[in-house]
Amino acid sequence: MKLYLYDHCPFCVRARMIFGFKNLDVESIFLMDNDNETPTKMIGRKMLPILQKEDGSYLPESLDIVHYVDGLAEPKIAENPVSPEIEKWYNAVSDTIYQLVVPRFTQANFPEINTPEARAAYVAREERVFGDLSILLKETHTLIVELEPHMDTLDIWLDQREDTINIDDFIIFPVLRSLSIVNDLPFSTTILKYMENISKTTGVNLLFDQAR
């Protein structure tokens, strides 16, 4: 199987996680951000992740990939719905998180933007959504303050949950991995331990070495 993805993409992290949890082999292929042709040929649009299954067919959508791969080997870990608490938490924090991480992603070292052309395409795409990214960088403190109560909520939730991997982790960890690129953001001991454990188990690196 082959997994087409971007390194920075939290949805792609979901797909990477399931292969790590299941200890299954997959060939990871990082596409350039300005490569519109390859994913369009596969699924008719520019979108990642995409899994090429062993029969040669293509499967997009991160959680669809998670569920497909989860079904390839026991035990199943992602068959239940996302908990209402985590769905509510994600919906509450996602806008703030993207405003924090996207400007930093555009400046980071990811394989999909390691050429001037690819980086320019990525920056242009994100500026169409978020506007002037330099202005967002100046809003870092305000955005972190907005995020803090939600991180406190997550800290309590993680401290009280059972120590069992489930579908919620495919929502939580990609968000936290993205946030690890934010230099001024403190992580509680509970959250940091969680991040490090999932990273070690799945083989998906954190971004602290690129924090800015």
Side-chain angles (χ1 to χ4, degrees), residues 12-169:
C12 297
V13 169
R14 294 176 180 176
R16 296 166 67 184
M17 288 171 66
I18 190 62
F19 282 98
F21 281 135
K22 292 289 188 172
N23 197 26
L24 295 174
D25 290 332
V26 66
E27 180 182 354
S28 295
I29 301 171
F30 294 95
L31 296 184
M32 302 302 292
D33 195 86
N34 59 339
D35 180 359
N36 300 329
E37 182 178 1
T38 300
T40 301
K41 282 184 176 180
M42 294 176 181
I43 62 169
R45 54 181 167 153
K46 185 180 188 292
M47 172 187 173
L48 294 179
I50 300 171
L51 177 67
Q52 185 176 9
K53 298 190 285 187
E54 291 183 342
D55 64 3
S57 63
Y58 297 105
L59 179 64
E61 299 289 353
S62 59
L63 290 182
D64 288 347
I65 294 171
V66 168
H67 291 306
Y68 172 77
V69 176
D70 192 36
L72 296 179
E74 296 290 341
K76 293 182 180 179
I77 61 175
E79 55 185 344
N80 294 323
V82 175
S83 68
E85 296 89 347
I86 292 304
E87 186 171 8
K88 180 180 179 181
W89 178 84
Y90 177 79
N91 290 335
V93 301
S94 57
D95 286 348
T96 302
I97 287 170
Y98 279 114
Q99 290 177 71
L100 273 169
V101 304
V102 165
R104 291 164 170 84
F105 282 170
T106 62
Q107 298 177 4
N109 297 316
F110 294 118
E112 60 267 23
I113 54 173
N114 67 6
T115 68
E117 296 80 10
R119 190 179 297 272
Y122 178 50
V123 171
R125 179 158 55 87
E126 297 296 8
E127 286 187 336
R128 285 195 294 271
V129 177
F130 295 98
D132 189 336
L133 300 180
S134 65
I135 293 177
L136 279 183
L137 283 172
K138 294 176 182 177
E139 296 294 322
T140 294
H141 176 72
T142 300
L143 293 169
I144 288 176
V145 170
E146 288 180 11
L147 187 61
E148 282 177 350
H150 301 292
M151 297 297 282
D152 291 342
T153 298
L154 180 65
D155 179 78
I156 295 169
W157 191 89
L158 288 175
D159 190 53
Q160 296 177 346
R161 72 174 289 195
E162 295 181 6
D163 190 21
T164 304
I165 298 299
N166 59 44
I167 190 64
D168 291 337
D169 296 292

Side-chain angles (χ1 to χ4, degrees), residues 168-179:
D168 291 337
D169 296 292
F170 295 88
I171 307 301
I172 300 168
F173 177 76
V175 167
L176 296 177
R177 194 252 188 177
S178 294
L179 284 172

